[in-house]
């Protein structure tokens, strides 16, 4: 995986992450079901706390979640307790090995996680573990920031207290190489507008890796200034969310 230890910071806030991170659009899950069927076998890279995994399980899919952080995997296992057709293995996706009785998978997914995975090794792993005709589907929330006074004020806080480059989520098309094993890519997007209270917005910020790696005093100052700023602008932060899906079919 890429970005070294930064990919493993989420376990520090696993319970908060599970509580405040958004789920994925039902329309996106509908599309995955349309491609592979509700009885598909799934391999999920970077399961996290199982936000997307549970949505797939609710549709009838079964499979394996692969998660490198033990604390995140613990929460995912708890969330999947009602779905005995799922297990969570603690491992890096690129190095994970299936059990002898694991069949080839119908679907390999990564929700908000592919940017942490070495793209060449991750793609080779998906090629190896997908059945012919199976799908590799990568998706992620990517907010589009409006040019509002509140957003300008928030950006000024980040520029002041968190200016260092960080490993942020990027569109899957930017990080997945072409491969002769797959067909032509399909790209879809699902748009929504989400409103957060001050506390919800600050709690969400607490789960972002670039905030988690800040020195504690600077992180708390940043969060305090975010709280004051959102409160001063009415106590509501409005975000335009774009959930992008990138998918290819195994030849």
């Amino acid at each position: 995986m890429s970005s070294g230890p930064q990919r493993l910071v989420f376990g520090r806030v696993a319970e908060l992450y599970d509580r405040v991170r958004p789920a994925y659009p039902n329309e996106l899950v509908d599309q995955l079901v349309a491609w592979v069927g509700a009885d598909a076998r799934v391999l999920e890279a970077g399961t996290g706390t199982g936000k997307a995994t549970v949505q797939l399980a609710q549709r009838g899919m079964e499979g394996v979640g692969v998660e490198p952080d033990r604390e995140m995997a613990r929460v995912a296992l708890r969330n999947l307790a009602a779905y005995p057709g799922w297990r969570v293995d603690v491992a890096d996706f690129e190095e994970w090995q299936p059990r002898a009785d694991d069949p080839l998978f119908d679907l390999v997914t990564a929700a908000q996680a592919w940017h942490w995975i070495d793209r060449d090794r991750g793609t080779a792993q998906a090629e190896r573990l997908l059945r012919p005709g199976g799908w590799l589907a990568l998706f992620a929330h990517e907010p589009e920031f409006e040019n509002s006074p509140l957003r300008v004020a928030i950006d000024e806080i980040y520029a002041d207290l968190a200016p260092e480059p960080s490993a942020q989520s990027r569109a899957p098309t930017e990080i997945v190489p072409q491969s002769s094993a797959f067909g032509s890519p399909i790209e879809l997007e699902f748009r929504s507008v989400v409103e957060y209270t001050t506390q919800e917005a600050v709690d969400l910020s607490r789960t972002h890796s670039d905030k988690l790696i800040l020195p504690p005093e600077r992180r708390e100052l940043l969060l305090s200034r975010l709280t004051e700023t959102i409160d001063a602008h009415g106590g509501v932060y409005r975000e335009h969310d774009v959930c992008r899906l990138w998918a290819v079919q195994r030849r």
Side-chain angles (χ1 to χ4, degrees):
M1 287 190 177
S2 61
S3 305
Q6 190 172 341
R7 67 186 174 85
L8 297 176
V9 298
F10 299 106
R12 302 178 194 171
V13 291
E15 295 289 350
L16 181 64
Y17 186 107
D18 188 55
R19 179 167 61 84
V20 304
R21 284 293 184 108
Y24 296 91
N26 288 328
E27 296 83 358
L28 187 154
V29 182
D30 290 341
Q31 182 60 72
L32 299 181
V33 172
W35 282 332
V36 299
D39 59 349
R41 285 279 299 171
V42 183
L43 176 64
E44 185 182 17
T47 296
T49 62
K51 302 294 289 190
T53 329
V54 169
Q55 292 182 266
L56 300 176
Q58 288 171 340
R59 299 300 184 93
M61 297 184 187
E62 298 182 347
V64 184
V66 181
E67 168 56 42
D69 186 280
R70 290 187 178 278
E71 188 62 17
M72 298 286 276
R74 179 191 65 79
V75 178
L77 277 172
R78 184 188 68 200
N79 290 336
L80 290 164
Y83 305 100
W86 281 88
R87 75 174 193 266
V88 178
D89 291 350
V90 178
D92 289 342
F93 176 71
E94 304 94 320
E95 299 174 1
W96 178 81
Q97 295 296 323
R99 295 178 181 174
D101 58 347
D102 282 332
L104 291 176
F105 293 90
D106 305 298
L107 176 66
V108 172
T109 66
Q112 214 76 25
W114 194 253
H115 59 292
W116 297 116
I117 294 169
D118 181 278
R119 62 180 180 176
D120 295 322
R121 294 173 63 206
T123 301
Q125 181 80 311
E127 290 177 11
R128 182 171 70 91
L129 297 171
L130 273 172
R131 65 165 175 80
W135 287 81
L136 170 63
L138 316 174
F139 44 100
H141 291 287
E142 296 179 0
E144 289 185 347
F145 300 124
E146 57 185 4
N147 188 24
S148 66
L150 174 54
R151 187 65 226 181
V152 170
I154 289 174
D155 286 342
E156 289 175 352
I157 295 171
Y158 288 156
D160 184 25
L161 294 171
E164 297 88 350
S166 61
Q168 297 293 334
S169 175
R170 299 185 300 278
T173 47
E174 298 177 8
I175 54 178
V176 179
Q178 295 294 317
S179 169
S180 60
F182 293 108
S184 300
I186 296 173
E187 298 178 53
L188 300 172
E189 61 181 39
F190 307 85
R191 293 178 173 269
S192 62
V193 178
V194 186
E195 288 191 350
Y196 297 99
T197 65
T198 298
Q199 189 61 59
E200 289 169 342
V202 172
D203 283 346
L204 187 61
S205 187
R206 289 182 184 275
T207 70
H208 292 160
S209 63
D210 56 335
K211 315 304 185 303
L212 287 166
I213 64 173
L214 290 173
E217 290 185 2
R218 179 146 50 114
R219 180 173 62 247
E220 292 309 311
L221 176 59
L222 183 148
L223 296 171
S224 175
R225 286 182 58 183
L226 281 179
T227 300
E228 295 171 358
T229 299
I230 298 172
D231 278 345
H233 286 78
V236 175
Y237 173 63
R238 189 168 180 263
E239 185 169 271
H240 292 261
D241 180 72
V242 182
C243 189
R244 290 194 167 88
L245 167 65
W246 184 97
V248 286
Q249 190 172 27
R250 182 77 164 86
R251 295 187 190 278

